[in-house]
Amino acid sequence: MTKIAVIAGSVREGSFNQMLADLALSQLKAHGAKVTEIDLASFDLPIYSAELEANNFPPDALRLKQILIEQDGLLVVSPEYNGSIPPLLKNAIDWASRPTGDEGLVALTAYRGKVAAIMSASLSPFGGLRGLMHLRQILTTVQMIVIPDQVSVPAAHAAFDGDGGLKDGMVTSLIDITTQRLVKVAAALAD
Ligand code: FNR
């Protein structure tokens, strides 16, 4: 079974990105994936520093990295903060990018050659598009294959219905298409 991890870049109570991640998560399951939800609130990840890395590599950074190593693909659903991605998410990506054990500097075992998809929800009319551009670049830098399909939800405060679904059927279709493509490419690459 194709294994996909889902990370939301916000741990805010009532997070719109978490709501979007929940929708995408059910679609990933509907498309046959075995989904692992990564709740960043449950990881104790100090801001990356070389000293910590050398002397006291955080156990939760290792735990996060190990979960990612076990996946075939990754879905990241993140808000845009000042035109980029939130430090919470960047810090998590950075820690899991670091070599451990006998790995070489650019082994990138959590990411290299795996497929990713990206989504964003934002209060603005632009749906976090600038953040998605940065996110795409970062995931490509750690050697992931980021599929062209992506989802952004503008005016997120007005986008969801009372049941956690989206009012706009087109966005729902885009989630369906994107999650289906993610599972398909992840399965093909895992062969
Ligand atoms: C924001 N927000 C925001 N929105 C946006 O579309 N473009 C931006 O550049 C920013 N910048 C920004 C910076 C900071 C520090 C914060 C806290 C927020 C607003 C953001 O879209 C809004 O808070 C979302 O609700 C955050 O996502 P969650 O927490 O609802 O998932």
Side-chain angles (χ1 to χ4, degrees):
M1 208 173 194
T2 308
K3 288 176 273 179
I4 306 281
V6 177
I7 302 185
S10 169
V11 295
R12 186 179 71 81
E13 204 177 318
S15 159
F16 298 119
N17 285 278
Q18 185 60 61
M19 288 167 75
L20 181 58
D22 290 343
L23 284 176
L25 199 147
S26 347
Q27 284 305 308
L28 286 168
K29 286 183 179 166
H31 294 306
K34 180 175 188 298
V35 180
T36 300
E37 205 175 350
I38 296 176
D39 175 9
L40 288 179
S42 75
F43 288 80
D44 185 9
L45 295 175
I47 295 290
Y48 171 83
S49 86
E51 284 67 31
L52 265 182
E53 179 179 19
N55 304 320
N56 197 9
F57 202 100
D60 271 7
L62 268 182
R63 180 162 72 92
L64 175 65
K65 183 176 172 185
Q66 190 53 42
I67 293 171
L68 291 173
I69 285 172
E70 288 159 11
Q71 309 303 313
D72 301 309
L74 176 65
L75 171 64
V76 185
V77 186
S78 177
E80 171 182 295
Y81 278 8
N82 295 317
S84 189
I85 71 169
L88 171 81
L89 177 61
K90 182 63 163 58
N91 189 49
I93 293 173
D94 286 349
W95 271 118
S97 74
R98 300 305 297 163
T100 45
D102 294 335
E103 290 174 356
L105 191 58
V106 290
L108 293 166
T109 44
Y111 306 110
R112 186 178 289 282
K114 297 179 182 198
V115 62
I118 55 177
M119 302 185 183
S120 171
S122 125
L123 301 181
S124 91
F126 306 110
L129 270 178
R130 291 170 303 181
L132 285 184
M133 285 162 64
H134 280 197
L135 183 54
R136 180 175 291 280
Q137 185 184 357
I138 291 161
L139 295 177
T140 303
T141 302
V142 295
Q143 302 301 311
M144 297 200 88
I145 297 155
V146 187
I147 60 168
D149 310 75
Q150 64 183 34
V151 177
S152 60
V153 179
H157 50 291
F160 291 89
D161 62 27
D163 301 321
L166 284 159
K167 294 179 190 164
D168 186 340
M170 189 188 281
V171 182
T172 305
S173 303
L174 285 173
I175 296 172
D176 187 42
I177 290 167
T178 304
T179 50
Q180 187 170 20
R181 183 75 59 96
L182 175 59
V183 176
K184 210 170 172 178
V185 178
L189 288 176
D191 274 350

